[in-house]
């Protein structure tokens, strides 16, 4: 369990540094494809990190994935709690590293790479979008990395999961 938690902590720390750091460096730049760049950075980061730590922890790198695996009976309750705590602490560590790396006036997001719901969208629309995105991620994890019927294609699981992000 210690190796699993350490792996999730390290992966989440790096995920926040690279994903949010990418947003901090280019967000809202005129003429840039910044949304595409940041999306690609997050997706590729998941692909690389899940490939790197998957053999230690399963490569959850997301509290929703950990919860989904718990509900699906793939992990136990104590393991889920420990992994989620490791992910949360890793997230805070990643944000701490970013706050040391980026001067406030250079953070183009103004908030360590965090995002907010655009005022043009309703809160219900935002919740629905978050639900659908999380569903896609969890469905992809269950069907590519967990389902015994897809074991032959497991080598591609991390890439496919990264694309779903």
């Amino acid at each position: 369990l210690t190796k699993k938690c350490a792996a999730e902590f390290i992966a989440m720390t790096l995920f926040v540094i690279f994903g949010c750091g990418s947003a901090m460096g280019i967000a809202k730049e005129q003429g840039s494809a910044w949304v595409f760049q940041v999306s690609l950075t997050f997706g590729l980061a998941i692909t690389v990190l899940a490939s790197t730590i998957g053999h230690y922890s399963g490569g959850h790198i997301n509290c929703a994935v950990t919860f989904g695996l718990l509900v699906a009976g793939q992990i136990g309750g104590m393991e889920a709690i420990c992994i989620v705590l490791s992910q949360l602490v890793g997230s805070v560590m990643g944000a701490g590293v970013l706050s040391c790396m980026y001067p406030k006036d250079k953070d183009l997001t103004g908030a360590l790479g965090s995002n907010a719901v655009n005022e043009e969208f309703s809160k219900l629309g935002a919740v629905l979008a978050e639900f659908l995105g999380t569903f896609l991620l969890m469905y992809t994890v269950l069907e590519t990395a967990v389902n015994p019927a897809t074991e032959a294609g497991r080598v591609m699981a991390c890439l496919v999961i990264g694309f779903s992000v």
Side-chain angles (χ1 to χ4, degrees), residues 134-158:
T134 303
F135 176 82
L136 174 64
L137 172 61
M138 199 59 231
Y139 184 64
T140 305
V141 167
L142 289 173
E143 291 302 322
T144 63
V146 176
N147 188 335
T150 61
E151 192 167 350
R154 195 85 15 109
V155 70
M156 296 295 292
C158 291

Side-chain angles (χ1 to χ4, degrees), residues 80-145:
I81 290 169
C82 292
I83 287 175
V84 166
L85 289 174
S86 299
Q87 292 166 342
L88 293 173
V89 174
S91 297
V92 171
M93 175 66 84
V97 170
L98 283 175
S99 70
C100 293
M101 287 174 56
Y102 270 91
K104 278 190 176 202
D105 61 321
K106 299 291 184 196
D107 176 2
L108 299 180
T109 67
L112 286 175
S114 65
N115 53 22
V117 177
N118 187 309
E119 294 173 5
E120 296 176 19
F121 294 93
S122 70
K123 301 267 191 260
L124 178 61
V127 169
L128 181 60
E130 187 67 29
F131 173 81
L132 291 172
T134 303
F135 176 82
L136 174 64
L137 172 61
M138 199 59 231
Y139 184 64
T140 305
V141 167
L142 289 173
E143 291 302 322
T144 63

Side-chain angles (χ1 to χ4, degrees), residues 60-76:
H60 306 184
I61 320 169
N62 183 307
C63 296
V65 170
T66 303
F67 180 71
L69 292 172
L70 172 67
V71 170
Q74 297 297 309
I75 59 172

